[in-house]
Amino acid sequence: LEDPALERHFKGHKDAVTCADFNPNCKQLATGSADKSLMIWNLATKARALRFVGHQDIITGVQFSPFGDLVATCSKDRTVRLWTPCLKGESAVFKAHTATVRSVCFSHDGQRLVTASDDKSVKVWSVHRQRFIYSLNQHTNWVRCARFSPDGRIIASCGDDRTVRLWDTSTRQCINCLTEYTGSATFVDFNANGTCIASSGDDSSLKIWDLRTNKLIQHYQVHSAGINCFSFHPSNNYLISASSDSTVKILDLLEGRLIYTLHGHKGSVLTVAFSRAGELFASGGADGQVLMWRTNFDTKSYQDVLRQHSRRSSPDPPPHLTDIHPRGPHLHLPQPSTIEVEEYDEEEEERGQTYPLQVLSGYPVALDTTLQHIVQQLDILTQTVAVLEERLTLTEDKLKDCLVHQSQVLKDVRASEERGRRERGRKNASPARFT
């Protein structure tokens, strides 16, 4: 097996490269930078790169949609943008956070976005409606990262409150809180099949938990400074990490050991990402460089492996949501005894015949209209809640400022009173008389 080789060196950013992600079609690489620009690099030789400008501050996160037709970015300017990665470079803006947005992630079906922010919240958005849906608000400090599980049922988040939290997306409740860090938890992500999560910290540690047993199964301390980002290989056999110690490290998760250390960057390495098939990985850092490496240490074609895995009749099951809950045993819901299977005719499919979608609920049309009206009202309510949340956050900040100011005024008043007492004491003092 060969060592990883430097395949390409992309130059174009004028400041630190903070985030990177490969297009699922493996033909493009997106990077965000402290120079406030998004770059789309075409991996074909001599193909032109595209620069997108719109954010007013540092871009902190980037991700392609599952189908590669959209790119989401987040920024220190408190906004999230959805870009069409073409020459026009059109974008839609999402606004509901009241502080820096640190990360952005698509759900597996591309219908939702999850964002993490310094306003201590995790927020979920509708991509097509371009609307805020709901917030997750139990973090007590800045939230550094939030990620959907591969099946979209769980959100993992981590932050400066030294916790990693797992959320059930259906109930919107926190179902587990991991408190294993002595410092900030900087990054969190799921492995390819959603059975494990890894999280890193500014204490240079990287930990992996098995969600099915709710146990810490691996703990690595291979960097000499904080870990800023990491990425699972699609096979789940390897993991790459980027650190402020200027190195990229590659871990063999099957053998539980460090196998490579790469020294291509000058200064902190801020981001690293495997391509969807795993044959390439990219790194970016404070030196403004974007380096693309070839994964020569694993010769399997995981695009084929994943395709075969998806066709298996019984692929590895994701964890049951209540298995993740830290409290006590639970009873699984009984499974239905019969399953109805709708058959389709391959010849009809080949002839290109299409049929209108039929609603098999048996409900009258009037009820359907009522339900649509309820959905519209819920949309209005969610928007109202978003506005109220923003106003509450602003009010909280103003109240804190007022309390600080009031405390300072009280200190000044007490100091003034103390000086006045001393002055009066000196004036009332008289020389002793002797008789």
Side-chain angles (χ1 to χ4, degrees), residues 215-236:
K215 290 182 179 178
L216 179 67
I217 56 174
Q218 290 184 332
H219 181 191
Y220 296 94
Q221 199 88 32
V222 294
H223 286 285
S224 58
I227 299 172
N228 301 309
C229 183
F230 60 80
S231 178
F232 277 103
H233 190 270
S235 68
N236 295 330

Side-chain angles (χ1 to χ4, degrees), residues 220-404:
Y220 296 94
Q221 199 88 32
V222 294
H223 286 285
S224 58
I227 299 172
N228 301 309
C229 183
F230 60 80
S231 178
F232 277 103
H233 190 270
S235 68
N236 295 330
N237 296 340
Y238 303 96
L239 183 144
I240 50 177
S241 55
S243 169
S244 295
D245 64 9
S246 305
T247 67
V248 172
K249 293 188 183 279
I250 302 172
L251 302 171
D252 185 327
L253 301 182
L254 295 181
E255 297 187 8
R257 66 186 181 94
L258 173 67
I259 56 174
Y260 292 109
T261 299
L262 305 178
H263 295 273
H265 289 278
K266 297 176 183 177
S268 297
V269 188
L270 302 176
T271 184
V272 71
F274 271 114
S275 64
R276 298 300 198 272
E279 80 282 10
L280 298 169
F281 61 95
S283 59
D287 55 7
Q289 293 188 99
V290 179
L291 305 180
M292 188 173 74
W293 311 76
R294 185 160 291 279
T295 312
N296 295 325
F297 51 84
D298 192 346
T299 57
K300 293 182 180 179
S301 172
Y302 280 97
Q303 197 74 36
D304 297 334
V305 172
L306 293 171
R307 198 176 293 117
Q308 293 169 8
H309 181 82
S310 66
R311 287 199 297 262
R312 282 168 52 189
S313 59
S314 57
D316 294 339
H320 193 285
L321 283 176
T322 45
D323 288 332
I324 301 168
H325 203 288
R327 304 190 195 94
H330 65 275
L331 297 175
H332 291 271
L333 294 174
Q335 298 298 319
S337 57
T338 60
I339 300 175
E340 295 182 2
V341 179
E342 182 180 354
E343 298 181 358
Y344 73 95
D345 188 340
E346 291 185 1
E347 293 182 358
E348 288 182 349
E349 187 179 18
E350 290 175 0
R351 289 195 296 269
Q353 296 183 10
T354 58
Y355 299 92
L357 179 65
Q358 294 182 353
V359 180
L360 303 179
S361 61
Y363 295 126
V365 176
L367 180 57
D368 185 56
T369 305
T370 304
L371 290 172
Q372 288 180 0
H373 178 70
I374 291 172
V375 169
Q376 290 173 357
Q377 294 301 313
L378 286 173
D379 284 341
I380 294 170
L381 283 173
T382 54
Q383 290 296 310
T384 305
V385 169
V387 172
L388 288 173
E389 280 186 339
E390 184 173 352
R391 289 180 179 175
L392 283 171
T393 304
L394 292 172
T395 303
E396 181 184 9
D397 293 339
K398 288 181 180 178
L399 184 59
K400 287 179 181 177
D401 292 338
C402 287
L403 289 173
V404 170

